[in-house]
Amino acid sequence: AQSVTQPDIHITVSEGASLELRCNYSYGATPYLFWYVQSPGQGLQLLLKYFSGDTLVQGIKGFEAEFKRSQSSFNLRKPSVHWSDAAEYFCAGSMTTDSWGKLQFGAGTQVVVTP
Amino acid sequence: ETGVTQSPTHLIKTRGQQVTLRCSSQSGHNTVSWYQQALGQGPQFIFQYYREEENGRGNFPPRFSGLQFPNYSSELNVNALELDDSALYLCASAGGGTGEGETQYFGPGTRLLVL
């Protein structure tokens, strides 16, 4: 079955430290992949997306993600975290051959930033 | 901001009642998708509308229904509300087309509480 998995439910990171959020996918072919961020009580904001081509994708707010086909992963990274990065992060995928826009989401990773 | 708006922002209903949630798509977008996000979970795809026709449905019962209007705004209707319907309901719009590289932009959501 097609799925997106985020292994880490909760991550605590110090302000200024690096951050990496894991995402694994299970699809029959390369899916479209996305990372969204959700602040408390808010909707989802798109951070970045991967469709094809360069496997290192740059997004907004200093985030980047790397697509690794061999590991079925699409991990999100940020070199230096700011207190405003505290939020919930969702990885999502959709199949390229069908159901574009019908996103499957992971369960999310809650990021806490400490001073 | 994405330009996708939803109303109302919050809603309280009792079990067995019916509810209508509304979404106004981003300008120029002809596709709208609805998602249900239960507390502590990732969003789950309910259905999608493209040019006023349903274009796919997730694993939700028929009491979840929708409409898309000629101006591409949309409604989500839920009949015979159950306690488990309590959730954040998210609307997302996209530009439409044949599926290559579409990205969904989310509204702020409607939080529904069923008592």
Side-chain angles (χ1 to χ4, degrees):
Chain A
Q2 300 172 351
S3 67
V4 173
T5 304
Q6 294 179 247
D8 304 306
I9 296 173
H10 185 274
I11 283 181
T12 298
V13 61
S14 299
E15 191 169 14
S18 64
L19 174 68
E20 181 166 12
L21 304 182
R22 297 185 290 164
C23 173
N24 296 102
Y25 65 89
S26 175
Y27 286 86
T30 300
Y32 295 142
L33 294 165
F34 307 81
W35 275 99
Y36 287 88
V37 61
Q38 186 176 38
S39 297
Q42 302 297 312
L44 299 170
Q45 181 182 23
L46 179 69
L47 288 175
L48 48 78
K49 58 190 178 186
Y50 173 78
F51 293 147
S52 64
D54 193 347
T55 57
L56 187 61
V57 179
Q58 301 297 321
I60 63 171
K61 302 185 177 186
F63 285 93
E64 66 177 25
E66 186 170 12
F67 172 73
K68 291 186 177 180
R69 187 190 307 275
S70 61
Q71 298 177 18
S72 298
S73 69
F74 186 58
N75 294 349
L76 181 72
R77 299 193 294 252
K78 185 168 184 177
S80 177
V81 168
H82 187 262
W83 64 266
S84 60
D85 294 322
E88 186 141 28
Y89 292 79
F90 291 96
C91 181
S94 66
M95 262 314 296
T96 56
T97 57
D98 178 42
S99 67
W100 59 267
K102 298 168 191 173
L103 294 170
Q104 288 180 287
F105 284 84
T109 299
Q110 184 72 46
V111 173
V112 173
V113 180
T114 60
Chain B
E1 288 199 9
T2 63
V4 180
T5 60
Q6 293 185 243
S7 63
T9 56
H10 296 82
L11 202 52
I12 300 175
K13 292 286 189 177
T14 57
R15 215 167 23 169
Q17 285 189 310
Q18 179 266 344
V19 70
T20 297
L21 310 181
R22 295 178 175 83
C23 172
S24 178
S25 300
Q26 186 166 309
S27 178
H29 284 182
N30 57 14
T31 301
V32 65
S33 302
W34 286 92
Y35 293 82
Q36 180 195 66
Q37 185 179 18
L39 200 60
Q41 298 182 24
Q44 299 291 317
F45 174 75
I46 303 175
F47 45 57
Q48 182 184 82
Y49 279 82
Y50 172 60
R51 293 185 175 179
E52 303 178 57
E53 297 287 330
E54 188 176 291
N55 185 41
R57 187 178 185 92
N59 189 27
F60 280 81
R63 59 189 186 84
F64 285 78
S65 63
L67 280 174
Q68 187 181 30
F69 300 99
N71 66 355
Y72 302 132
S73 64
S74 175
E75 285 182 356
L76 164 65
N77 299 289
V78 187
N79 294 321
L81 283 167
E82 300 177 0
L83 297 180
D84 285 348
D85 296 332
S86 296
L88 180 68
Y89 288 84
L90 296 164
C91 163
S93 74
T98 58
E100 187 70 26
E102 290 297 339
T103 301
Q104 292 188 62
Y105 295 91
F106 284 81
T110 294
R111 186 162 297 281
L112 172 65
L113 177 61
V114 182
L115 301 176

